[in-house]
Amino acid sequence: MQYAPVVVSLPIADRPTSYRFYSEGLGLDAVGEPAEDGIPEPLQFALNDGLRVMLVPVGGFGWVIGRHEVARRGHSECVLSLSAATSAEAAQLVERARAAGAEVVVEPGQQPWGFAGAFADPDGHLWMVSAETA
């Protein structure tokens, strides 16, 4: 059985900050109709035809996870990875994220498996951008 789209939900502190970072900073397209604040609710971005990231305020995220605690900033349980066509494209996306307010945690460069860099979004969620080719 296949599920499409797959939605990865991440807790966030501030909808406008996250909306600006993902839409203007990373160039992703928001999915859905704008709410009263002009930001789609729920706040989702299409990464491709089969994958979306949904950004949920911490309070609402708690409704889904119950008593399980959200990892505090600086403690990550996963790394979300994006593939770029070339190392230049990967480095450019990391720099675009930095310019939008991301903390670059691994500068773009050659790794044993290929070219990669990583950044933390405004809420500390880790993203790696990699490319297999130069």
Side-chain angles (χ1 to χ4, degrees):
M1 178 176 258
Q2 293 190 2
Y3 301 97
V6 172
V7 179
V8 174
S9 299
L10 301 173
I12 60 170
D14 184 69
R15 281 173 41 86
T17 298
S18 293
Y19 177 72
R20 281 190 304 276
F21 179 80
Y22 283 89
S23 62
E24 297 169 15
L26 298 185
L28 296 174
D29 294 322
V31 177
E33 295 297 316
E36 289 180 14
D37 61 2
I39 298 171
E41 177 60 40
L43 181 53
Q44 293 187 55
F45 291 93
L47 298 177
N48 60 40
D49 289 339
L51 180 61
R52 295 180 181 177
V53 63
M54 181 165 36
L55 306 171
V56 183
V58 173
F61 200 82
W63 297 339
V64 175
I65 64 171
R67 295 184 336 197
H68 188 88
E69 292 183 31
V70 172
R72 65 185 187 275
R73 186 171 176 79
H75 290 81
S76 301
E77 295 179 345
C78 72
V79 176
L80 300 158
S81 299
L82 300 172
S83 296
T86 65
S87 57
E89 186 180 297
Q92 183 180 36
L93 183 54
V94 172
E95 289 308 316
R96 186 174 180 174
R98 184 193 320 262
E103 174 191 355
V104 174
V105 296
V106 175
E107 291 292 336
Q110 193 61 44
Q111 303 295 331
W113 64 89
F115 187 91
F119 62 87
D121 75 3
D123 291 284
H125 304 297
L126 295 176
W127 290 82
M128 179 178 72
V129 184
S130 63
E132 292 182 21
T133 61

